[in-house]
Amino acid sequence: DAGVIQSPRHEVTEMGQEVTLRCKPISGHDYLFWYRQTMMRGLELLIYFNNNVPIDDSGMPEDRFSAKMPNASFSTLKIQPSEPRDSAVYFCASSWDRSYEQYFGPGTRLTVT
Amino acid sequence: GENVEQHPSTLSVQEGDSAVIKCTYSDSASNYFPWYKQELGKRPQLIIDIRSNVGEKKDQRIAVTLNKTAKHFSLHITETQPEDSAVYFCAALFSGGYNKLIFGAGTRLAVHP
């Protein structure tokens, strides 16, 4: 298995633009997690899905952030409009219902200017 | 709410020395405690985990101990090497169902030759 796949790996955009981050979990995994990592706030859980259904989005910072999981092999995290304070590394992770181990993707480094 | 505290935030050791990182958690019903290593610019990767039915687990130079009564667990690295330099995160499984992990703030370990 190729592991968790994220795209793009780097994204530079201007304030006010829409940004879409993509994730493909490991095949067979039931859970998908979106994290944001910054020096100031560490690793924050934004939202997670179980069997494509959002379970807890309490970590989503505000209405500018939205996430979807239309099927078991694809999820998106969208920021609209983006702001400079959204600059961070966004990780996607997945896990299997019968194991708690989370496998992280390589991350997307987002820079909003 | 659920919380994991991690200490120290930075740790500097000489090659060959031991390193210890400690975490405390608030959810007494947590039963799974993983440790992740994140090298600079890379994704967090699971290095060892422990479940509540054991008090200690070892894997070569790393070991984890768990004290459920005191609600704390520790990572021990012996005979440290420069390649152990990284940020280490502890985590605890949220007991409210699903596979949600609560992460500590991380410890930056520097091993000097």
Side-chain angles (χ1 to χ4, degrees):
Chain A
D1 199 319
V4 177
I5 299 172
Q6 290 187 248
S7 65
R9 296 291 308 276
H10 301 273
E11 177 79 32
V12 179
T13 191
E14 292 183 347
M15 181 174 64
Q17 297 298 306
E18 177 180 296
V19 175
T20 300
L21 311 182
R22 298 172 177 79
C23 176
K24 175 179 168 54
I26 292 173
S27 178
H29 279 192
D30 310 278
Y31 285 89
L32 184 139
F33 305 82
W34 282 102
Y35 292 91
R36 178 173 68 176
Q37 186 174 41
T38 61
M39 288 294 292
M40 291 297 294
R41 300 176 68 90
L43 197 60
E44 301 175 273
L45 176 63
L46 301 178
I47 184 171
Y48 67 99
F49 297 82
N50 178 222
N51 292 322
N52 314 337
V53 176
I55 301 301
D56 183 356
D57 66 354
S58 60
M60 297 286 260
E62 49 199 272
D63 292 345
R64 297 185 296 107
F65 286 69
S66 63
K68 294 182 180 179
M69 192 165 185
N71 56 62
S73 59
F74 183 66
S75 177
T76 59
L77 177 67
K78 186 176 293 187
I79 308 173
Q80 166 63 20
S82 58
E83 296 182 3
R85 58 191 168 125
D86 302 330
S87 296
V89 179
Y90 291 81
F91 287 104
C92 174
S94 69
S95 69
W96 186 40
D97 186 42
R98 301 191 180 190
S99 168
Y100 303 129
E101 301 173 16
Q102 291 188 18
Y103 295 84
F104 283 76
T108 295
R109 182 173 295 277
L110 173 65
T111 303
V112 183
T113 61
Chain B
E2 61 271 13
N3 185 49
V4 174
E5 294 191 359
Q6 183 171 348
H7 300 279
S9 57
T10 60
L11 181 58
S12 182
V13 300
Q14 290 296 125
E15 182 177 1
D17 288 350
S18 294
V20 180
I21 303 170
K22 299 181 179 181
C23 291
T24 58
Y25 59 96
S26 59
D27 184 351
S28 59
S30 287
N31 62 3
Y32 174 70
F33 308 91
W35 286 87
Y36 285 80
K37 175 184 180 182
Q38 186 178 26
E39 297 177 353
L40 188 63
K42 300 291 181 64
R43 74 190 79 185
Q45 291 193 296
L46 179 71
I47 55 171
I48 194 168
D49 56 15
I50 191 167
R51 295 173 190 260
S52 59
N53 57 345
V54 297
E56 183 176 6
K57 184 177 179 180
K58 287 184 178 180
D59 183 2
Q60 299 182 356
R61 295 186 298 107
I62 61 174
V64 57
T65 59
L66 171 65
N67 183 327
K68 285 223 72 180
T69 302
K71 293 191 289 186
H72 67 72
F73 56 112
S74 301
L75 178 71
H76 304 252
I77 306 174
T78 59
E79 301 173 20
T80 54
Q81 301 168 4
E83 51 264 39
D84 294 330
S85 297
V87 177
Y88 292 81
F89 293 94
C90 64
L93 181 71
F94 172 57
S95 66
Y98 306 107
N99 281 14
K100 177 181 177 179
L101 294 177
I102 309 301
F103 281 88
T107 296
R108 184 173 299 278
L109 173 64
V111 181
H112 301 286

